[in-house]
Amino acid sequence: MLSSEKRSLVRFLVIYLTSTLLLFSLAAWIFYSATKHHLLGKQRDTLKYEAERITSTLRQLHQSNVAPLVYPSNTMIQSAIYDLNKKYIFGTFKVPVTLETQLDENKLYKLSKIEPYYLGAAYLLTARTIDYVPIKSLQKNILFFMLIAGIFFSVMGYFLGRLFVAPMRDSIRQMNHFIQDTTHELNTPISTILTNIEMIETFGKHEQNSAELKRIEIASKTLSRIYDDLTYLNLNHQYHRKMVLLDFSDLLTERLTYFTGMIEAKAITVISKIEEKMELEIDKNDAIRLIDNLLSNAIKYNRHQGTLTVLLQHHSFEVQDTGIGIAKKDLGTILQRFKRANKSEGGFGIGLDIVNQVVQSYGFDLQIDSTLHKGTKVRVIWKK
């Protein structure tokens, strides 16, 4: 699966699972609240029944002449009676409870009026400790249900997401086939043109047609670079890298010479400060791809008679132009494949994407600073 497909699938799954999770969490919370209220209601009912039993027993004791009077008690439910002024008379609480004190939040209470006042009691307070066993069981069941539902909807979301990105996958596959066929067809004529130009320049007399040949050479090298970039994208950078200790200084000088024709065609002034014998452990093809794309962009988007600054230090490589620049709103997405901040120039929008892929492959840092209509500076840092 390509990175673009993965990004689309991840975005779909995040939206789908987040909305599903919120919906189920709301439903679970409503169900939990209602069920918990029902469970506590059942426990409160036991207090109601106990209050009725105690009131009935008090009435019997009030009418009885038997002594001593035995206060009705229950091992599961505590109770106490109070007079008309809400003063404690008697009860089964270990510590006498007054009606003005703050009651224990882990217990359920029910205050009932006693009329008429049996044995001087006007109020009856019953209490029981909350039984959390069914509530905890409810919590476990809801969590288990949420877990099963989460797994189910994650799997379903994944397959729905695959169906969602299927049209894009087909389009990308068709485009990749097109790139494959195009690059295959371009390779032979480009190689033939460049070879023959070199032969003419070496053995032939071409002074009268040097301008024409120079334009043909520039066009051929442009096609050759596009061919290399398309081949890289088609391989999806799944190729064997041959790591060597490369003289980056010599390679950069060589690639600047390669672009001489394009630079002269736009009358660009080149300012180069290249540290000698700067060595870097990198695959040569990746290094060429990195340099060529940065130089090509700096030339393509530079203004006529502009300036191209190339700096190479022991820790970084920098290319700066005085061209059209990039708007601030586009800087965040300029590294995306096929993204072009300015459509006035040709291109496929793959240059900076390839640069970014090479940079990420080696753990380098990529910095892009740009001001619209003033120019762009791209810096690759490999040592901090």
Side-chain angles (χ1 to χ4, degrees), residues 221-232:
K221 286 183 176 179
T222 303
L223 284 173
S224 179
R225 184 183 53 78
I226 293 173
Y227 168 78
D228 290 337
D229 289 347
L230 292 176
T231 302
Y232 177 80

Side-chain angles (χ1 to χ4, degrees), residues 20 32 116 164 199 314 327 337 366:
T20 304
Y32 171 74
F164 173 74
M199 291 178 65
H314 72 283
R337 186 175 298 182
L366 180 64

Side-chain angles (χ1 to χ4, degrees), residues 83-338:
D83 64 14
L84 192 61
N85 296 319
K86 296 184 179 181
K87 291 184 178 180
Y88 181 80
I89 299 176
F90 189 81
T92 59
F93 290 95
K94 291 182 180 180
V95 178
V97 178
T98 61
L99 297 182
E100 289 78 14
T101 59
Q102 187 174 0
L103 303 178
D104 188 350
E105 61 181 12
N106 291 319
K107 290 184 177 181
L108 295 174
Y109 295 89
K110 180 175 177 57
L111 183 64
S112 307
K113 280 188 175 183
I114 302 176
E115 293 177 348
Y117 310 133
Y118 301 126
L119 301 177
Y123 297 97
L124 170 63
L125 177 67
T126 51
R128 63 167 292 173
T129 302
I130 297 175
D131 184 6
Y132 286 103
V133 174
I135 296 175
K136 289 181 178 179
S137 177
L138 173 65
Q139 293 173 346
K140 289 179 181 179
N141 290 336
I142 290 177
L143 288 175
F144 179 73
F145 171 78
M146 290 290 289
L147 177 62
I148 297 299
I151 294 173
F152 173 77
F153 282 103
S154 296
V155 174
M156 180 179 289
Y158 175 77
F159 285 105
L160 287 175
R162 293 296 294 265
L163 291 175
F164 173 74
V165 300
M168 181 177 67
R169 187 187 306 117
D170 293 338
S171 298
I172 292 174
R173 187 180 295 112
Q174 290 176 5
M175 185 171 63
N176 285 336
H177 286 320
F178 172 76
I179 292 173
Q180 250 181 343
D181 296 338
T182 303
T183 51
H184 177 73
E185 295 298 328
L186 282 174
N187 185 28
T188 302
I190 290 172
S191 300
T192 303
I193 293 171
L194 289 174
T195 302
N196 281 276
I197 289 174
E198 290 176 2
M199 291 178 65
I200 292 172
E201 290 177 343
T202 305
F203 303 107
K205 295 180 179 180
H206 59 281
E207 288 79 4
Q208 295 178 350
N209 299 318
S210 58
E212 288 79 3
L213 282 175
K214 183 62 68 176
R215 285 194 289 269
I216 294 172
E217 181 183 2
I218 292 171
S220 301
K221 286 183 176 179
T222 303
L223 284 173
S224 179
R225 184 183 53 78
I226 293 173
Y227 168 78
D228 290 337
D229 289 347
L230 292 176
T231 302
Y232 177 80
L233 292 179
N234 187 48
L235 288 173
N236 202 25
H237 49 95
Q238 295 176 358
Y239 63 93
H240 176 69
R241 286 184 167 90
K242 185 178 180 182
M243 305 296 290
V244 295
L245 194 61
L246 185 69
D247 190 329
F248 204 85
S249 305
D250 284 350
L251 181 64
L252 180 56
T253 304
E254 175 189 315
R255 301 318 292 174
L256 274 170
T257 304
Y258 178 85
F259 284 97
T260 299
M262 300 179 190
I263 292 170
E264 291 176 350
K266 295 189 76 169
I268 294 173
T269 301
V270 178
I271 301 174
S272 62
K273 296 180 181 179
I274 301 175
E275 185 176 309
E276 295 183 356
K277 301 298 180 183
M278 210 298 294
E279 294 182 331
L280 185 65
E281 189 172 357
I282 190 173
D283 177 79
K284 186 175 182 179
N285 290 327
D286 282 343
I288 292 174
R289 199 165 287 115
L290 176 67
I291 295 171
D292 283 9
N293 277 289
L294 290 181
L295 291 178
S296 173
N297 278 356
I299 296 168
K300 182 195 303 181
Y301 295 107
N302 213 330
R303 58 182 171 82
H304 187 72
Q305 295 183 341
T307 302
L308 171 63
T309 304
V310 180
L311 302 177
L312 177 63
Q313 298 173 310
H314 72 283
H315 63 282
S316 66
F317 166 48
E318 183 178 307
V319 177
Q320 184 173 357
D321 64 66
T322 55
I324 59 178
I326 304 170
K328 287 185 178 181
K329 64 182 180 64
D330 294 321
L331 283 174
T333 58
I334 195 63
L335 295 177
Q336 294 178 6
R337 186 175 298 182
F338 308 123

